[in-house]
Amino acid sequence: MQAVQQVFPGCCMHFEDWKGTDALRLLNRYKDKVLCYNDDIQGTASIVLAGLTTALQIIDAPLTDQCLLFLGAGSAGIGIANLIVAAMQTKGLSRDQARRRISMFDIDGLLEPSRAGLSEAQQVYAHKAAPSKDLVQTIETLKPTVLIGVSTKGGAFTQQVVEAMSRLNPRPIIFALSNPTDKAECTAEQAYTWSKGQALYAAGVQFPDVTVGGKTFHPGQANNFYIFPAVGLATYVARPRRITDECFIAAAEAAADQVGPDLRAGGMLFPSQASILETEVTTATRVAEFMFDKGLAQVERPRDMRTWIEGQLYTPQY
């Protein structure tokens, strides 16, 4: 890291595929010192926040009122939770208030203070509660509005789990983010069928359309490809001193704002992949504007941000 600062000053370092505990530790070590980000943590968190933002817009509910339960408490889950906490803080909650709205459940059960061996990052989500190794019981006790799977345990969201979420919420938000397909906590067909078509669903993989009760749903894929090219492009043009969590919140909101009424009506929580370059440029424009607004950028602000960015796109034609 020190050598790169000397040989390639201003280079943005992208951390990829590090072991979970190292990923969190090293991101926290460097993110406020050099220009860097970890897409596995921050990019994943950003696209999940984008899908959550769209879902909450569909049901007209504020983020700060949500109660979230994660299945899985590794680096991906912690990263998503941390960015949601940061987003809640931008909407008025304190960090502690936001953290109390998020609980986690892993292979050893609910994270709560009596659990031994929790990492420092996990401890902040270990709230006072009775120990439990029963996910359905935990759902019935905590009454989450959002269920997020990052467990890599295929089929963990059983019919009983989805039905419990559906009893508690008219439109349960269920994200089964583990991949590949055989590790998804539930399929799109299962989520829509067991919720009688009421679930707002996304997965980490692309599932085919599902028809329930005469209505066809188009499940979205919560994939980093909506985020990291846009953040990378904004970073390339604006030359920011740092990439903050707020940059990824801006990217999430920009992605959510590009999901039109027709897509939302079919259950899509993310923009269409058919016009992905247009989507990326639109998101990059928003992120770059944020970087300039917050004084992060180190170049002169252009009069027309989008035209300026489009003029710097790489075109692979020879």
Side-chain angles (χ1 to χ4, degrees):
M1 292 296 290
Q2 293 172 347
V4 168
Q5 307 313 306
Q6 296 176 22
V7 179
F8 302 110
C11 172
C12 178
M13 301 284 287
H14 172 205
F15 304 154
E16 177 74 15
D17 281 346
W18 283 351
K19 180 181 176 182
T21 51
D22 288 340
L24 286 166
R25 178 177 60 83
L26 292 169
L27 177 62
N28 290 334
R29 177 177 178 178
Y30 288 110
K31 69 178 182 178
D32 296 324
K33 298 178 182 178
V34 299
L35 185 64
C36 66
Y37 72 103
N38 185 309
D39 185 58
D40 296 324
I41 296 173
Q42 294 165 293
T44 297
S46 183
I47 194 57
V48 174
L49 179 60
L52 180 58
T53 299
T54 306
L56 294 176
Q57 289 172 350
I58 290 172
I59 62 177
D60 192 23
L63 175 64
T64 51
D65 285 353
Q66 305 312 303
C67 176
L68 298 93
L69 177 61
F70 283 75
L71 180 64
S75 61
I78 296 293
I80 295 166
N82 289 348
L83 193 69
I84 292 173
V85 166
M88 287 182 172
Q89 287 182 262
T90 68
K91 299 183 183 301
L93 295 188
S94 70
R95 185 172 66 173
D96 286 343
Q97 287 173 328
R99 284 174 170 174
R100 285 197 294 269
R101 305 201 72 85
I102 297 175
S103 297
M104 295 193 168
F105 191 105
D106 67 7
I107 191 170
D108 294 315
L110 180 66
L111 271 62
E112 40 79 23
S114 73
R115 283 273 304 270
L118 296 181
S119 69
E120 184 178 348
Q122 292 172 326
Q123 288 172 8
V124 299
Y125 298 109
H127 310 304
K128 186 176 181 179
S132 173
K133 292 191 175 184
D134 186 323
L135 181 58
V136 174
Q137 181 186 67
T138 299
I139 290 171
E140 292 172 345
T141 300
L142 299 182
K143 298 178 171 51
T145 56
V146 182
L147 182 62
I148 297 177
V150 282
S151 67
T152 69
K153 184 180 179 183
F157 291 170
T158 63
Q159 183 172 349
Q160 290 74 24
V161 167
V162 174
E163 287 177 346
M165 286 294 295
S166 301
R167 283 194 301 272
L168 294 167
N169 304 284
R171 301 296 306 276
I173 299 172
I174 299 174
F175 290 177
L177 302 179
S178 296
N179 59 66
T181 304
D182 63 351
K183 294 186 182 299
E185 285 78 11
C186 69
T187 67
E189 183 176 14
Q190 290 168 336
Y192 291 126
T193 301
W194 294 336
S195 69
K196 297 181 171 57
Q198 296 306 301
L200 291 161
Y201 174 86
V205 297
Q206 185 62 60
F207 282 108
D209 292 354
V210 178
T211 300
V212 175
K215 181 176 181 179
T216 299
F217 297 92
H218 310 283
Q221 183 182 7
N223 192 296
N224 302 13
F225 63 64
Y226 285 110
I227 300 296
F228 74 80
V231 172
L233 178 56
T235 300
Y236 173 75
V237 298
R239 300 291 194 270
R241 296 191 308 275
R242 301 288 181 267
I243 302 176
T244 64
D245 282 344
E246 288 73 22
C247 293
F248 286 95
I249 294 172
E253 293 173 345
D257 287 346
Q258 295 178 76
V259 186
D262 291 345
L263 291 176
R264 295 180 182 210
M268 272 287 285
L269 304 180
F270 308 101
S272 169
Q273 296 180 23
S275 53
I276 191 64
L277 179 59
E278 177 78 11
T279 299
E280 301 286 5
V281 172
T282 298
T283 300
T285 300
R286 287 269 292 273
V287 175
E289 287 172 342
F290 177 84
M291 290 173 171
F292 279 100
D293 289 346
K294 296 300 179 181
L296 296 169
Q298 298 184 97
V299 297
E300 183 178 351
R301 186 168 190 151
R303 287 196 294 179
D304 185 328
M305 190 72 68
R306 188 183 185 97
T307 300
W308 177 65
I309 289 175
E310 288 175 338
Q312 298 184 71
L313 290 175
Y314 172 69
T315 304
Q317 294 177 347
Y318 300 90

